[in-house]
Amino acid sequence: MRPEILNPLFVETDALDGVGPKLRKPLEKLGLTRVKDVAYHLPERFVTRRPIETLDEGSEGEQVVIALTPTEHRAARNQRGPYRVLAQDSIGNICALTYFGRASYTAKKLLPVGEKRWVAGRLDRYGDMLQIVHPDHVLEESGASLARLCEPVYALSEGLTQPRVASLVAQALERLPDLPEWIEPGQFDKQKWPSWSDALKLAHKGEHEGARDRLAYDELLANSLALMLVRADNRRRKGQALKGNGSLRDKLQLPYELTGAQARSVREIEGDLAQEAPMLRLLQGDVGAGKTVVALEAMLIACEAGKQAALLAPTEILARQHFETLRAMARPTGVEVALLTGRDKGRARESILMGLMDGSIDIVVGTHAIFQDSVSYKDLALVVIDEQHRFGVAQRLQLASKGKAAPHTLAMTATPIPRTLTLAQYGEMDVSKLDEMPPGRQPIDTRVVSQERIADVVEAVGRHMEAGQQAYWVCPMVRENENEDIAAAEARYAALKERFGDAVVLVHGQLAPEMKDAAMEHFASGAASLLVATTVIEVGVDVPAATLMVIEQAERFGLAQLHQLRGRVGRGSEKSTCLLLRGDDLSETGRERLALMRETQDGFRLAEEDLRLRGGGELLGTRQSGDTPFRVASLEQITKLLPLAHDDARLLMERDGGLSGERGEAARVLLYLFERDWGVQLLRGG
């Protein structure tokens, strides 16, 4: 149960003054549903504004405060267009105050024609006219109060303003309880960090260099401690020692020898399976490195021991592909492989459920349907969890109930992860790495092409399709954004469909799952020749005939994403090509990123380089998201602070009595604060 001292932080945001049903929606879009979320909604940056008398005194890109008098309101010609208020300074220079979306209603109230207002915001130029887009403040009285140092700038969603968010943050900070210190005293003194509550307050003011580091450290410590509790719990659990005799594996008729990395990984897994403590291992392999074969070897060991195995896939279409692949490879062994998804109904489903219960099905492949309450196993001993399903504790406890004893677990990921992030995301697991490619895989011809040559690229795609081949076209966003010139999948799809007709299909993350699956199946079957998509296809079905990929505005993607996307082609034995279209405003980092893509196809090296490039503080915006399981800690802070947090957690567990004692009680509060409390529940449940 959550410690009572934390209760003020976990009440919903409507406990704050001014938050009702109307304001709750834009807050929810930012993930701000509780007081704690608002307190941890840290500023993206801080601004210092300079007061100026006239627009002539300001520079483009500068944050200014200026007195302006509105002269005209210009509504947009369509709903998506900008709403502009023309205003003049004291000597008649004109500036446009520009608003998008519903903010135009605010502009009408705040900026009446003929009445002077003090306006604060970033001075920019649009065409021949100066403009301030979405002014941060509009006041009737003197703007002297706006020209202060270090004003926080928060991430917003439609319906929120900077003053409103700042007001809610101030209320949340007033509710902070006085929490016990969980950081090891020597570390705390060495770093000269403020207390937890002071760190939060200072982080919103930008007044203490170490405040944000302290908050990041707290999050990393909570994560490290929780993962250690998972690992300790796993060692205490009683599983089944699985010792295969090779009788099934010897029957496999693979068209190639295992690589050294595959053979090494199989040996590591075989060693884990032979132990009574349940295996908890991550199989990390580059795209096309042969993880499926290693997983099959592991599942056959379970079958040789008279047990069952299951493979959990993130999507139904990927589950079907795994099923077809495993069934074909396992056919010479005689083991029974079945597929179970949420789509299966009636007699077919009942037959599979009966086979799992009586043991006539040896290996089952499926989505989360394979762990529903209605599914029972005769003797499930190994679970393989594929791509992007990091093994959570809640899942593991659910799986444990399906076997006579806690099953062994093998998690797989095709995303090469830097060493630091492996510790952060998979710290409870042992890691096997596939760092060799199977023989016969040809390198992908990677070229960088100017975005200006897009017409030539479209013609090249057309010739490729006429030759009976398939292609991918990837865009950074789903739909166009008024504020940014970013290529959008929907607009590109419309243009390509006009050129190539029904041979083109569209897939993106905002489509309903059944529509997404239908489009992917249409492409995988060869009925469509060109798939336009966002990064949703980073992990997807293998289409051997797809030998060309176009990635538009490639500089907007991170290296790891580009590598994952490129890996969608080159799945067969034919030569494949990846065209990286670059924009004209290519930054130095963007140049380096694209140069690295041409230089190497080593996913592990690219992952480390990606962390280096982004860890330097580059704000990637649309280019990269969901990289880490952390809300507070940045990539740079993870690199710097995670080893310290990991050592601190180990000291707590091994030297300081774990979660008992004074510091242990404080650490328990920390786990609940960052909602890693499943670690506490494991300790309690034994």
Side-chain angles (χ1 to χ4, degrees):
M1 184 179 292
R2 184 193 306 132
E4 286 188 14
I5 195 170
L6 292 176
N7 286 347
L9 296 172
F10 282 84
V11 296
E12 294 189 355
T13 51
D14 50 15
L16 301 174
D17 291 343
V19 179
K22 187 176 179 181
L23 197 60
R24 199 180 301 132
K25 286 185 178 179
L27 288 172
E28 286 174 356
K29 285 183 181 177
L30 293 171
L32 309 180
T33 59
R34 301 157 303 182
V35 169
K36 171 198 155 204
D37 303 323
V38 176
Y40 272 98
H41 189 57
L42 300 178
E44 291 187 318
R45 64 185 190 280
F46 294 88
V47 298
T48 303
R49 295 193 179 86
R50 184 167 68 94
I52 57 176
E53 294 290 330
T54 68
L55 291 165
D56 294 334
E57 298 173 27
S59 303
E60 288 180 34
E62 185 180 14
Q63 293 284 346
V64 299
V65 180
I66 185 170
L68 296 172
T69 303
T71 58
E72 181 185 350
H73 284 239
R74 289 184 182 175
R77 293 178 182 175
N78 57 65
Q79 279 189 324
R80 296 181 63 192
Y83 185 95
R84 291 190 172 92
V85 180
L86 301 187
Q88 63 182 21
D89 64 13
S90 58
I91 60 172
N93 292 324
I94 298 294
C95 176
L97 307 177
T98 306
Y99 293 84
F100 291 92
R102 294 177 185 171
S104 59
Y105 299 114
T106 306
K108 292 172 186 175
K109 293 179 183 177
L110 290 178
L111 296 160
V113 171
E115 296 189 21
K116 184 164 75 172
R117 293 290 184 266
W118 289 86
V119 179
R122 176 185 162 118
L123 188 64
D124 285 305
R125 184 174 295 278
Y126 180 76
D128 295 331
M129 184 176 287
L130 290 170
Q131 72 168 359
I132 297 175
V133 178
H134 286 280
D136 295 325
H137 300 278
V138 176
L139 299 179
E140 293 182 37
E141 67 274 10
S142 167
S145 63
L146 301 178
R148 60 191 175 103
L149 295 175
C150 279
E151 178 175 332
V153 178
Y154 296 98
L156 302 176
S157 62
E158 193 171 338
L160 288 174
T161 62
Q162 292 294 340
R164 176 58 63 89
V165 172
S167 167
L168 297 177
V169 166
Q171 292 183 59
L173 294 178
E174 287 174 6
R175 293 169 174 256
L176 296 183
D178 187 17
L179 300 183
E181 186 54 68
W182 43 73
I183 298 177
E184 196 273 325
Q187 182 75 272
F188 184 79
D189 293 339
K190 180 181 177 182
Q191 299 293 342
K192 296 183 171 58
W193 282 332
S195 68
W196 169 77
S197 58
D198 285 346
L200 259 178
K201 292 169 185 174
L202 290 167
H204 284 280
K205 295 178 181 177
E207 290 180 359
H208 191 292
E209 195 175 321
R212 286 185 88 122
D213 276 357
R214 190 255 144 89
L215 298 176
Y217 185 87
D218 291 343
E219 186 175 36
L220 296 169
L221 178 60
N223 195 69
S224 296
L225 184 55
L227 294 179
M228 285 182 189
L229 289 168
V230 171
R231 196 176 182 92
D233 170 76
N234 195 66
R235 286 172 176 162
R236 284 198 307 272
R237 286 176 178 269
K238 191 167 183 178
Q240 302 184 72
L242 304 180
K243 294 182 181 178
N245 57 14
S247 59
L248 296 176
R249 286 171 286 164
D250 290 345
K251 294 178 182 176
L252 285 175
Q253 297 173 5
L254 300 177
Y256 49 80
E257 291 287 322
L258 294 183
T259 65
Q262 286 175 316
R264 182 184 66 236
S265 297
V266 170
R267 287 195 300 272
E268 290 168 346
I269 292 165
E270 190 169 15
D272 285 356
L273 294 177
Q275 307 302 313
E276 203 170 66
M279 174 176 72
L280 204 51
R281 182 169 288 275
L282 172 70
L283 179 62
Q284 191 181 359
D286 209 342
V287 178
K291 294 179 298 298
T292 307
V293 174
V294 174
L296 176 59
E297 294 259 357
M299 290 189 281
L300 289 178
I301 292 172
C303 296
E304 288 169 0
K307 312 297 181 184
Q308 293 168 297
L311 188 149
L312 173 64
T315 65
E316 186 171 311
I317 193 167
L318 204 51
R320 290 184 183 279
Q321 178 176 299
H322 275 309
F323 167 66
E324 297 293 347
T325 302
L326 290 171
R327 184 172 61 170
M329 285 197 295
R331 190 169 287 123
T333 69
V335 301
E336 186 67 27
V337 183
L339 174 70
L340 181 61
T341 70
R343 194 183 294 186
D344 296 306
K345 308 291 181 193
R347 289 185 180 178
R349 177 180 170 82
E350 289 303 317
S351 174
I352 295 168
L353 295 183
M354 187 61 68
L356 293 173
M357 197 182 304
D358 65 22
S360 58
I361 292 176
D362 303 295
I363 296 173
V364 65
V365 181
T367 55
H368 278 94
I370 64 178
F371 296 119
Q372 291 173 342
D373 291 341
S374 58
V375 182
S376 298
Y377 295 80
K378 182 182 180 183
D379 199 350
L380 179 65
L382 171 65
V383 178
V384 179
I385 303 178
D386 187 36
E387 197 56 56
Q388 295 184 344
H389 275 251
R390 191 174 80 80
F391 191 62
V393 175
Q395 286 174 311
R396 184 158 68 79
L397 295 178
Q398 189 179 13
L399 306 187
S401 67
K402 295 295 182 184
K404 292 180 179 177
H408 298 276
T409 302
L410 178 66
M412 302 194 299
T413 177
T415 307
I417 306 167
R419 288 182 296 275
T420 304
L421 296 190
T422 301
L423 180 64
Q425 293 179 267
Y426 301 98
E428 80 278 31
M429 293 182 164
D430 296 306
V431 178
S432 292
K433 186 180 285 189
L434 298 181
D435 48 12
E436 297 175 54
M437 297 301 282
R441 285 295 300 270
Q442 291 198 34
I444 299 164
D445 181 15
T446 304
R447 307 176 192 175
V448 179
V449 180
S450 170
Q451 188 85 19
E452 291 180 353
R453 294 184 56 199
I454 198 162
D456 295 336
V457 173
V458 171
E459 291 306 311
V461 169
R463 291 192 297 272
H464 186 79
M465 292 163 63
E466 286 171 7
Q469 297 290 302
Q470 292 173 282
Y472 295 97
W473 190 300
V474 181
C475 297
M477 295 189 73
V478 173
R479 55 182 60 93
E480 290 177 331
N481 185 327
E482 288 278 348
N483 298 322
E484 295 186 84
D485 183 21
I486 297 179
E490 288 182 339
R492 182 59 62 205
Y493 166 71
L496 291 171
K497 190 172 179 63
E498 190 173 324
R499 171 74 168 77
F500 299 118
D502 292 338
V504 189
V505 290
L506 172 69
V507 170
H508 58 71
Q510 294 176 23
L511 286 177
E514 56 272 16
M515 291 180 67
K516 196 162 36 177
D517 281 356
M520 284 300 298
E521 285 176 5
H522 204 57
F523 184 64
S525 69
S529 301
L530 178 59
L531 176 67
V532 180
T534 55
T535 56
V536 72
I537 62 159
E538 279 180 88
V539 177
V541 294
D542 292 342
V543 183
T547 54
L548 173 64
M549 172 164 287
V550 178
I551 303 179
E552 197 164 349
Q553 291 183 322
E555 71 275 7
R556 294 189 176 273
F557 296 91
L559 270 174
Q561 270 187 320
L562 287 173
H563 180 66
Q564 283 288 102
L565 290 166
R566 177 171 62 182
R568 290 292 97 216
V569 295
R571 312 298 283 183
S573 57
E574 292 190 39
K575 185 178 179 182
S576 298
T577 303
C578 178
L579 300 180
L580 305 176
L581 304 192
R582 59 165 177 80
D584 293 329
D585 57 342
L586 198 59
S587 66
E588 186 175 334
T589 305
R591 281 179 211 286
E592 188 173 354
R593 187 180 292 122
L594 298 188
L596 281 163
M597 283 295 292
R598 289 186 62 189
E599 180 185 321
T600 182
Q601 298 189 19
D602 180 342
F604 292 100
R605 181 190 165 194
L606 289 172
E608 295 292 344
E609 293 287 352
D610 202 22
L611 180 62
R612 176 181 64 81
L613 290 171
R614 288 185 284 131
E618 181 189 359
L619 294 173
L620 287 163
T622 57
R623 302 178 198 170
Q624 202 80 1
S625 61
D627 291 316
T628 75
F630 304 113
R631 178 168 183 171
V632 180
S634 67
L635 288 167
E636 195 169 15
Q637 288 170 322
I638 293 168
T639 304
K640 178 173 68 173
L641 299 173
L642 182 61
L644 298 177
H646 190 74
D647 289 344
D648 194 357
R650 193 170 66 245
L651 273 178
L652 177 63
M653 292 292 291
E654 296 176 0
R655 186 194 72 183
D656 298 342
L659 297 190
S660 59
E662 187 176 343
R663 188 176 171 224
E665 285 299 319
R668 192 181 294 258
V669 171
L670 172 71
L671 288 168
Y672 277 96
L673 175 66
F674 282 100
E675 295 170 271
R676 304 296 204 275
D677 45 283
W678 33 262
V680 183
Q681 292 159 17
L682 277 177
L683 198 67
R684 190 177 296 143

